[in-house]
Amino acid sequence: MTLLRVTGLHARHGLLAAVRGVSFDVDEGEVVALIGANGAGKTTLLRTIAGAHPAAGGVIAYAGKDLEGLPAHRRVALGIALVPEGRRLFPELTVRENLTVAGRPGRWQLETVLDAFPRLRPLLDRPAAKLSGGQQQATAIARSLMTNPRLLLVDEVSLGLSPQAVDEVYDMIATLRGLGTTLVLVEQDLGRALAVAGRVICLLEGRITLEAPAAGLTRDRVVQAYFGFA
Ligand code: ATP
């Protein structure tokens, strides 16, 4: 079943057209990786779907409903969660407070989150500012889960993390995938994107240059889409 249908979407930053007529579907339970060079429009696309950035044209339909005009918090209430780049936790609040502030009824409650991701348990009473980058990212993902999303949008989880921390965050993503979570993730690392996603979408200058199943995708084809070589 199609959970998200993006049709002819445009988004701007002032005069700059960051997303230029993008169309794609995401099925329930699918994991889609959004790839593309810096500035390709990936973050703007995710933020526009989440309602954190205005669309300048096109339609975003979620569970068959047109989201036009709905502010971000209403989209969260419908089950769309964004884990933003840079994590954006409340630094003075503890991990427990960061998690519980976001609560919405559903399967994901503090205990179920901690059972699924036990590494968070010893961190519960620590202020977010005192966490490592990897721990902050894990907390940010867990916090978004607490809103019990049906669609989880994740922006650049590996940004600025050590390789070991990236592995740990990707273990989390794999767990979520195993539970049937619908995920759209922005990932710069092609190897990671291909390993975790069922399908890959590449953006170049605000347009889709490649949309294909991850399995069997050759590096050459991706590089071509990434840089626009003919
Ligand atoms: P990155 O990996 O660097 O985050 P991205 O693919 O996510 O890249 P966006 O961040 O969506 O790309 O940026 C798309 C275009 O919009 C770029 O040209 C960028 O410079 C521009 N842009 C992004 N944010 C802003 C902003 N707040 N104000 C002005 N221009 C912006």
Side-chain angles (χ1 to χ4, degrees):
M1 185 213 144
T2 303
L3 182 59
L4 177 71
R5 170 160 291 170
V6 174
T7 313
L9 187 67
H10 289 260
R12 320 185 58 85
H13 294 286
L15 290 178
L16 183 110
V19 175
R20 303 197 269 178
V22 163
S23 303
F24 64 97
D25 287 357
V26 179
D27 284 345
E28 188 113 54
E30 234 194 330
V31 177
V32 174
L34 273 181
I35 63 169
N38 281 336
K42 307 178 297 294
T43 296
T44 306
L45 175 56
L46 276 199
R47 287 173 48 79
T48 307
I49 294 168
H53 188 89
V59 178
I60 303 167
Y62 166 81
K65 180 180 160 56
D66 185 347
L67 296 181
E68 185 170 2
L70 280 190
H73 70 272
R74 297 275 307 278
R75 298 187 197 201
V76 173
L78 291 175
I80 300 177
L82 172 67
V83 184
E85 205 176 3
R87 311 185 268 269
R88 309 236 191 96
L89 299 170
F90 299 109
E92 299 88 34
L93 297 191
T94 64
V95 169
R96 184 196 311 276
E97 289 163 339
N98 268 284
L99 295 182
T100 49
V101 82
R104 216 171 61 94
R107 81 183 275 189
W108 292 113
Q109 300 299 322
L110 187 59
E111 275 309 310
T112 41
V113 167
L114 295 173
D115 287 346
F117 305 109
R119 270 196 272 254
L120 290 170
R121 208 180 276 278
L123 307 175
L124 277 178
D125 294 318
R126 199 174 296 181
K130 296 267 161 64
L131 301 175
S132 71
Q135 291 166 342
Q136 284 182 20
Q137 188 65 70
T139 304
I141 293 171
R143 182 175 62 171
S144 68
L145 280 181
M146 294 286 288
T147 70
N148 280 287
R150 202 169 150 195
L151 172 65
L152 188 53
L153 309 169
V154 186
D155 200 357
E156 299 233 25
V157 279
S158 30
L159 206 69
L161 300 186
S162 71
Q164 193 204 332
V166 176
D167 283 345
E168 289 178 11
V169 170
Y170 267 91
D171 283 349
M172 251 179 126
I173 302 274
T175 300
L176 292 175
R177 184 186 58 189
L179 291 168
T181 315
T182 310
L183 284 156
V184 177
L185 19 115
V186 169
E187 180 49 80
Q188 288 279 0
D189 181 330
L190 182 58
R192 294 270 176 199
L194 293 177
V196 76
R199 196 149 53 89
V200 171
I201 294 175
C202 184
L203 284 183
L204 174 67
E205 294 175 358
R207 294 194 179 90
I208 293 180
T209 49
L210 172 73
E211 184 178 352
L217 203 54
T218 65
R219 210 160 183 99
D220 276 0
R221 223 174 130 212
V222 176
V223 167
Q224 203 175 58
Y226 212 91
F227 296 107
F229 301 146

